[in-house]
Amino acid sequence: MRILIANVNTTKTMTDTIRESAAAYASPGTEIIGLTPDVGPESVEGNFESYLAAVAVMDAVVRYDGTYDAVIQAGYGEHGREGLQELLDVPVVDITEAAAQVAMLVGRSYSVVTTLDRAVPQIEDRLLLAGLSARCASVRASGLAVLELEADPDRAIDAIVEQSVKAVTEDRAEVICLGCGGMAGLDRRVAAATGVPVVDGVAAAVQLAESLVRLGLSTSKVRTYAAPRPKVITGWPLHE
């Protein structure tokens, strides 16, 4: 089985971190291919950048020269999953939704701990649109920019743990979701500090993508995610 995991920003080192984390949770025989968009922002922290990233990720996926069985969009709260589902015949899994779905299997309520406060409404909107908001206790910001997760990992883990503890003690969350692809691999450290299950969206997405492939299931094409109607799309793909 081959799974493409698409970083939503253009920072290659973050793609490598996400791919390595995904590979650690993949089953034997599953190959994880990391994709980095050729265009777009170095980090995604707002709607403008998210819409740019949506186009860039779709471009990177449709131009990938090879076969694959599923696609993971590795951006928390970002746009574009629906577009990928229209374009592709294989399962598409978004890490935001994957984390929330898994969290609800192991607790009554969950909280998301993300990066900057400006990302909070975007994540809340994504969860609402996906029908996953009813059991979300809170979305908390660590105050760190996406690129700071790599630049100062010790400070990052301290800030994420602090907000995770508050989510459990103040918001009554029973599960924590790590709200950024760049937080991949931090689940055990946060779990040790909080005493509750912690869901890494990248890990959850890998497991769900594998399950869908093995079940022989993919996106329904009868209505909402039917293939785009044939027409001239000027300048698409971005780099032919």
Side-chain angles (χ1 to χ4, degrees):
M1 184 186 308
R2 177 180 290 169
I3 297 176
L4 303 185
I5 187 160
N7 183 9
V8 297
N9 64 50
T10 56
T11 300
K12 179 64 166 57
T13 54
M14 192 164 292
T15 304
D16 294 340
T17 297
I18 292 169
R19 193 208 65 78
E20 289 169 7
S21 179
Y25 285 95
S27 301
T30 296
E31 181 183 9
I32 304 293
I33 305 294
L35 294 184
T36 307
D38 290 337
V39 298
E42 62 180 347
S43 63
V44 181
E45 292 162 325
N47 285 289
F48 166 66
E49 293 164 352
S50 178
Y51 280 112
L52 288 177
V55 175
V57 166
M58 287 187 283
D59 176 66
V61 171
V62 300
R63 289 191 301 106
Y64 175 75
D65 186 19
T67 60
Y68 51 91
D69 301 290
V71 173
I72 294 171
Q73 179 171 294
Y76 222 91
E78 265 70 72
H79 302 90
R81 184 263 298 163
E82 298 90 343
L84 283 171
Q85 286 184 298
E86 289 187 8
L87 289 170
L88 306 177
D89 292 323
V90 301
V92 177
V93 180
D94 168 75
I95 67 169
T96 314
E97 297 170 17
Q101 288 163 341
V102 169
M104 292 190 297
L105 295 175
V106 294
R108 180 179 179 275
S109 61
Y110 68 92
S111 285
V112 178
V113 176
T114 188
T115 51
L116 298 177
D117 183 65
R118 66 175 297 158
V120 171
Q122 201 167 321
I123 293 171
E124 291 175 337
D125 287 349
R126 169 55 62 184
L127 294 172
L128 181 63
L129 182 64
L132 299 168
S133 62
R135 287 163 61 183
C136 181
S138 61
V139 180
R140 283 181 166 267
S142 65
L144 295 171
V146 171
L147 297 181
E148 289 182 274
L149 298 174
E150 286 191 312
D152 194 345
D154 290 334
R155 178 169 170 247
I157 189 64
D158 288 344
I160 293 164
V161 165
E162 178 185 2
Q163 292 304 316
S164 297
V165 169
K166 288 182 178 179
V168 173
T169 58
E170 298 177 14
D171 306 332
R172 313 304 292 173
E174 297 178 5
V175 185
I176 297 296
C177 293
L178 299 177
C180 177
M183 295 179 184
L186 300 182
D187 49 333
R188 291 187 181 129
R189 295 175 69 179
V190 177
T194 59
V196 303
V198 177
V199 182
D200 177 339
V202 171
V206 169
Q207 292 289 308
L208 290 178
E210 286 187 334
S211 296
L212 289 170
V213 173
R214 292 195 176 100
L215 288 167
L217 297 173
S218 192
T219 306
S220 173
K221 293 292 186 175
V222 299
R223 195 178 183 194
T224 306
Y225 303 118
R229 295 182 62 198
K231 63 182 70 174
V232 175
I233 307 293
T234 303
W236 177 263
L238 299 180
H239 304 287
E240 291 190 276

